[in-house]
Amino acid sequence: MKTMLNVALPKGRLGEKVYAMFEKAGFECPSIKENSRKLIFENEEVGVRYFWVKPSDVAIYVERGAADVGVAGKDILLEYEPDVYELLDLDIGKCRMAVAAMENFRDDTHRTLRVATKFTNIARQYYLSKGRDIDIIHLNGSIEIAPILGLSDVIVDIVETGTTLKENQLQVFETIVPISARLIANKANYKFKEEQIEKIVAEIAAQGKA
Amino acid sequence: MNIDELSLSFGEKIVFSLSALYGRYGYSQYKMSKFEEYDLYARNKAFLISDGVITFTDTNGKLMALKPDVTLSIIKNSKDEEKTVQKVYYNENVYRTDKGNGAFKEIMQVGLECIGRIDSYSISEVILLACKSLKAISESSVLDISHSGFVSGVIDSFGIPEENKARVLKCISEKNVHELHTICSDASLSEEKINALKSLITTCGAPDEALPVIKSAFEGLAETGSLTQLSAVISALSDDSVKDMLRIDFSVVDDVNYYNGIVFKGFVEGIPTVVLSGGQYDKLMQRMNRKSGAIGFAVYLDTLERFVDTKNDYDVDCVVLYNESTDLLSLSRFINSLILQGKSVTAQWEAPDGIRYKELIEFFDGEVTEG
């Protein structure tokens, strides 16, 4: 029997794009396209098993070896710092991690900066590198309203087009880091499935160049 | 004393077999106290795998710690040896925080340390024992080897700005070619140097194939001397089956402030994390005011917990029920006779809730009725 390669895909549009790349690379699994509520799909013939998981959980599945490879946003990798290999930048799902604030915001450097964010680790490291004293306010969603309501001075969040920010009278003040989807692999499983994993890496890298 | 192998867990069997293995190579067991002065760890915090240390105040007011690591204690109690090598092994519990939830965990760790005159033979022997340790766990295992001094030497000699060195090392450890390219391009490194650095990530595999590629990628650089040492160490391995499990992989990067020479990590198919980790740590010795060299490794036994499926279908073979009319001497004889047949037995007034057994035997009035 062929060794199965377990792939964790992020649920949603990004995941569908990623699956298309894997399919083109020769790891097709037709049953995944059928409209169903199933979460696991496999194709024994080519030796691949896909499963849909919450995008922010992909890194956990891969780090703990339930998945051999997976696709996760760089934001998740920077925030949780999983011990995995980052084999490829897929150049899709592009956006940036940025500091945004009300349009009339002026940084008052003699006061602690209040930062609202979902990404506390990224925010902490960024301001630590600048030597700025901050007060982190961890929020799980609707980060944009924090500066409007005076809960925070700035926000650290993912910015794609900037439309949501604009509609809420916010604007980007600094870009922390560009974000895109990355192909990651479990370090231990990589040793035993290197050939299959490297084949995917090579095929998908070639698609990017084509 | 006879030990019934069936009653041992897989981890316990590994402890016995590794202790015997290290003993055969002349390593003596090093038994140590569970506690150590906290100061030892505070001075070498970056050497520890996790940040958290359980501390408490001793009766004389000293701040003590439950050992998060064994190596530091062994170095602290070692003497400088010029011509000989002190070879010790240990199996000890250490206390560390878990990366996932930050809670403390007790981890059983087996390992060995060589301290003194470390030459290519000593290193080769330690690598041989690391491979044999992995093989004791599973035939399907690999040992990734790298050279810390080589990797950090290359980064230094390529003139990578100080603030980017850690990022470059991180990229190498993540096999992250795309970001390595960006960092090096931003630092205005020549295309030739960038490609050489990339080859550190992309070249991995059997030593015979990988080492010549790396040597030619860094031709002319003084650091390639480290690669010659690596080749010498590998060719000194007498066991061919062990040679087959070695892979050169420069993504094995440990803290370059402590490790100066060969570093390695062991993996076993079916275990999703590093099982064995070690290397040559002369720099740590120097930080602790020792002149000797040192090399060692640890096997993380907690990783084996879910490796072998030890799920038992039954909790016990027989449940023997007795009551107030049962003659106790004949009950005792009956139970002994079952045990002599190799069965496990529990004597009870009634079968405990939820217990899984093969046979239920009623032993009332000296008579046996099977349920």
Side-chain angles (χ1 to χ4, degrees), chain A residues 7-20 31-34 36-41 49-55 57-58 61:
Chain A
V7 185
L9 294 174
K11 258 189 223 165
R13 254 187 319 159
L14 178 71
E16 283 161 24
K17 268 191 193 170
V18 172
Y19 170 72
S31 60
I32 205 166
K33 289 182 170 168
E34 290 162 12
S36 83
R37 284 171 180 268
K38 263 174 67 178
L39 295 173
I40 303 180
F41 304 88
R49 182 183 295 125
Y50 291 100
F51 36 91
W52 295 113
V53 302
K54 199 175 165 175
D57 288 342
V58 169
Y61 281 84

Side-chain angles (χ1 to χ4, degrees), chain A residues 63 86 182 191 194, chain B residues 99 144 174 178-179 247:
Chain A
E63 186 181 29
E86 186 185 317
R182 310 292 162 98
K191 312 291 159 196
E194 188 178 349
Chain B
K99 192 194 164 204
D144 277 358
E174 288 173 350
H178 44 278
E179 259 165 40
R247 293 172 81 262

Side-chain angles (χ1 to χ4, degrees), chain A residues 63-65 74 81-86 88-89 182 186-188 190-192 194, chain B residues 99 140 142 144 173-176 178-179 204 247 249 251 267-269 271-273:
Chain A
E63 186 181 29
R64 289 183 166 254
K74 185 67 185 176
E81 302 184 51
D83 187 19
V84 294
Y85 288 139
E86 186 185 317
L88 204 58
D89 182 350
R182 310 292 162 98
N186 176 279
K187 287 188 171 179
Y190 178 89
K191 312 291 159 196
F192 303 97
E194 188 178 349
Chain B
K99 192 194 164 204
S140 185
V142 296
D144 277 358
S173 77
E174 288 173 350
K175 292 190 186 285
N176 188 338
H178 44 278
E179 259 165 40
C204 49
R247 293 172 81 262
D249 192 326
S251 76
F267 300 89
V268 169
E269 190 169 14
I271 300 179
T273 52

Side-chain angles (χ1 to χ4, degrees), chain B residues 345-364:
Chain B
V345 191
T346 176
Q348 300 281 354
W349 277 67
E350 54 182 68
D353 281 344
I355 196 169
R356 291 166 305 170
Y357 51 81
K358 286 183 192 160
E359 282 178 87
L360 182 73
I361 305 169
E362 289 177 352
F363 193 77
F364 305 142

Side-chain angles (χ1 to χ4, degrees), chain B residues 96-197:
Chain B
R96 288 185 187 144
T97 45
D98 190 31
K99 192 194 164 204
N101 55 21
F104 279 103
K105 266 172 83 178
E106 184 183 58
I107 296 166
M108 181 63 162
Q109 194 171 299
V110 178
L112 59 81
E113 311 288 348
C114 277
I115 294 175
R117 187 180 175 276
I118 303 300
D119 59 6
S120 291
Y121 175 74
S122 319
I123 299 172
S124 173
E125 185 181 88
V126 169
I127 290 181
L128 177 80
L129 289 172
C131 290
K132 284 185 180 251
S133 303
L134 289 170
K135 271 189 181 276
I137 297 166
S138 166
E139 279 297 318
S140 185
S141 47
V142 296
L143 189 77
D144 277 358
I145 301 193
S146 170
H147 196 296
S148 213
F150 172 67
V151 177
S152 61
V154 162
I155 290 175
D156 286 342
S157 69
F158 274 15
I160 292 165
E162 205 58 45
E163 67 271 18
N164 282 337
K165 281 182 181 170
R167 288 176 68 202
V168 168
L169 271 175
K170 192 163 185 283
C171 285
I172 294 173
S173 77
E174 288 173 350
K175 292 190 186 285
N176 188 338
V177 179
H178 44 278
E179 259 165 40
L180 179 79
H181 191 104
T182 314
I183 297 168
C184 294
S185 302
D186 291 350
S188 312
L189 239 64
S190 70
E191 205 57 35
E192 197 189 348
K193 282 182 177 171
I194 297 178
N195 286 335
L197 282 174

